Amino acid sequence: MAKTNKGKCEGCSVTGIIPKEAAQHCQKCPQIKQKLNVKGGTATEAFVAIVFGDRVATEYWMNVLIPCDTPVYEVEEFLKDIWLECCGHMTTWEGLKNGVGEFKDIYGGNEEPDEKDVAISECVDLGGTVSMDYDMGTTTTVNLMFYEKINVKMDDPGIRVLIRNTINKPNCKECKKPNHPVHYTCDDCDYSKMCEECGDGEHEEHSKTTISNSPRSGSCGYSYDDDEEIPEQYQLS
């Protein structure tokens, strides 16, 4: 059973929000309302979606504002920027209308390079869930459930993170100190969690990556040092 990580509101900075209460918090938070209704801002219709990296929104999850006119490729870039990008792998979507983003035989000349220019509102229904796979080898799947549609006024309309899960990085399993453990990957200790000091002895020749706040943590060398920091363009401000 997947563990549950609690979240932090990017409006009021309240922590300890559990996933099933996140939608209600977004609706009631005065600071979120204020930042999404700026005097003189551009009127925009937007989805609110929960984005999660497993079959249920427990471990890695976010509540995100996505303007309805956002192209699919910008949603994809957001997911890569905050959770996925490591080596420029391929992506494929499932559940978008008209087969947008689905895997195609690009070598057979069947790719439509501009198809992801279509607005996300033309590809999903309110209440619907879609998914995106990143990397066709070591695949990470991200799901998006579009649960609400609201009207906002923003100076610079775009995707914004409203609530994001936080993680408690485990103590080093050798010295027990909270030293931001790393993954050490080898045949004998697959993804064992040890700090640099303990791991650089017996395991110094094995691959290692920092534990990140992402469902891709440890896959294909994925590592993001500032994993609690939301990229500036997606911050609620």
Side-chain angles (χ1 to χ4, degrees):
M1 183 177 181
K3 66 179 180 180
T4 298
N5 285 324
K6 296 179 180 180
K8 174 187 174 184
C9 175
E10 297 301 317
C12 64
S13 298
V14 164
T15 58
I17 301 169
I18 60 176
K20 67 180 182 180
E21 295 177 352
Q24 185 178 40
H25 182 93
C26 289
Q27 293 168 345
K28 294 184 176 181
C29 176
Q31 286 84 354
I32 287 180
K33 289 182 179 180
Q34 180 182 8
K35 292 178 179 181
L36 294 182
N37 287 279
V38 178
K39 186 176 181 179
T42 302
T44 305
E45 188 176 43
F47 286 113
V48 185
I50 185 163
V51 183
F52 52 101
D54 38 29
R55 285 179 291 180
V56 291
T58 54
E59 190 168 8
Y60 300 106
W61 58 275
M62 297 177 283
N63 286 63
V64 179
L65 181 90
I66 305 176
C68 291
D69 61 358
T70 304
V72 171
Y73 76 84
E74 288 189 10
V75 179
E76 184 171 305
E77 288 304 309
F78 161 71
L79 296 173
K80 290 179 181 179
D81 287 345
I82 201 164
W83 261 1
L84 300 171
E85 189 64 86
C86 62
C87 306
H89 294 292
M90 290 178 60
T91 61
T92 182
W93 288 81
E94 183 175 342
L96 295 177
K97 293 180 181 179
N98 301 317
V100 171
E102 290 182 357
F103 178 78
K104 294 178 174 61
D105 179 14
I106 60 175
Y107 299 105
N110 296 324
E111 185 184 28
E112 299 176 33
D114 297 328
E115 69 171 8
K116 294 179 186 177
D117 283 345
V118 64
I120 191 69
S121 60
E122 297 182 27
C123 301
V124 301
D125 292 319
L126 185 62
T129 300
V130 301
S131 63
M132 189 189 87
D133 287 345
Y134 175 83
D135 185 358
M136 302 302 104
T138 309
T139 304
T140 301
T141 300
V142 175
N143 305 280
L144 302 89
M145 198 276 277
F146 297 82
Y147 66 84
E148 187 178 15
K149 188 180 285 187
I150 61 175
N151 293 306
V152 299
K153 290 184 178 180
M154 304 170 68
D155 286 335
D156 183 21
I159 297 173
R160 299 290 187 273
V161 176
L162 306 180
I163 299 177
R164 184 185 182 186
N165 78 276
T166 57
I167 60 171
N168 294 317
K169 296 184 179 181
N171 295 349
C172 171
K173 77 173 191 178
E174 295 293 323
C175 68
K176 311 303 180 184
K177 295 178 181 178
N179 288 338
H180 289 299
V182 294
H183 289 306
Y184 280 83
T185 311
C186 69
D187 293 338
D188 298 322
C189 60
D190 189 35
Y191 294 110
S192 62
K193 298 177 176 67
M194 291 186 293
C195 67
E196 291 277 4
E197 184 176 346
C198 293
D200 280 344
E202 178 183 356
H203 299 266
E204 63 182 353
E205 295 182 358
H206 302 157
S207 64
K208 54 188 178 181
T209 58
T210 57
I211 294 175
S212 301
N213 188 3
S214 161
R216 193 156 178 78
S217 181
S219 297
C220 193
Y222 179 87
S223 177
Y224 191 60
D225 292 336
D226 295 324
D227 54 6
E228 298 296 339
E229 184 69 23
I230 296 169
E232 184 176 359
Q233 66 268 37
Y234 308 122
Q235 292 178 12
L236 186 63
S237 58

